[in-house]
């Protein structure tokens, strides 16, 4: 079974484009529009890598990661954001965060980060 990469992003265009790219590259993909939707699905235990938008409606990406850390060992996280500069993204690199990518990011940046996350998660 291919590794499962889960995308949590409130942007429809991201949720529409990334799964297609991920599947073409040999990954399984799930998408959620909010942290709350992701938590309700109760699939986080199956996720091999979590692509997590920093700014979400309701619970933020960093808040979701903090909550997951209280409940389980979360999957490796890649934060993505269109509103933070590199300094802001660097501040998010805490335990369990493999990379922080500024939107728009290249396919190569994303796939490299996912590959690193999957190694970390083994």
């Amino acid at each position: 079974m291919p590794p499962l990469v889960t995308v949590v992003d409130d942007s429809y265009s991201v949720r529409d484009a990334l799964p297609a790219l991920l599947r073409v590259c040999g990954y399984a993909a799930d998408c959620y529009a909010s942290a709350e939707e992701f938590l309700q699905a109760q699939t986080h235990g199956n996720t091999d890598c979590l692509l997590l938008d920093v700014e979400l409606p309701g619970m933020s990406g960093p808040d979701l990661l903090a909550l997951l850390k209280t409940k389980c060992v979360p999957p490796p996280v890649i934060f993505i954001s269109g509103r933070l500069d590199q300094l802001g993204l660097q501040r998010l690199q805490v335990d369990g965060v493999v990379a922080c990518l500024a939107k728009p990011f290249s396919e190569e940046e994303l796939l490299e980060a996912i590959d690193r996350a999957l190694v970390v998660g083994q």
Side-chain angles (χ1 to χ4, degrees):
M1 182 184 292
L4 175 61
V5 178
T6 300
V7 179
V8 181
D9 197 305
D10 59 323
S11 169
Y12 174 78
S13 61
V14 170
R15 292 191 320 273
D16 185 51
L18 282 184
L21 169 66
L22 294 169
R23 289 183 184 113
V24 165
C25 294
Y27 302 108
D30 274 344
C31 286
Y32 301 94
S34 69
E36 293 83 2
E37 185 180 317
F38 171 71
L39 290 169
Q40 285 179 340
Q42 297 184 0
T43 60
H44 51 272
N46 300 327
T47 298
D48 297 300
C49 176
L50 184 57
L51 293 179
L52 186 53
D53 192 5
V54 172
E55 296 180 6
L56 294 165
M59 184 184 303
S60 73
D63 289 343
L64 173 59
L65 177 56
L67 177 65
L68 289 175
K69 285 181 176 183
T70 68
K71 296 181 175 210
C72 62
V73 175
V77 170
I78 300 168
F79 276 127
I80 55 178
S81 179
R83 296 194 180 115
L84 291 178
D85 59 18
Q86 280 299 348
L87 183 60
L89 287 171
Q90 287 172 354
R91 289 185 185 134
L92 293 170
Q93 291 191 348
V94 297
D95 188 39
V97 177
V98 174
C100 295
L101 303 178
K103 296 176 188 174
F105 44 81
S106 69
E107 286 181 21
E108 293 79 20
E109 286 177 297
L110 176 63
L111 296 174
E112 179 182 300
I114 292 171
D115 287 343
R116 283 196 323 262
L118 294 174
V119 168
V120 167
Q122 291 182 356

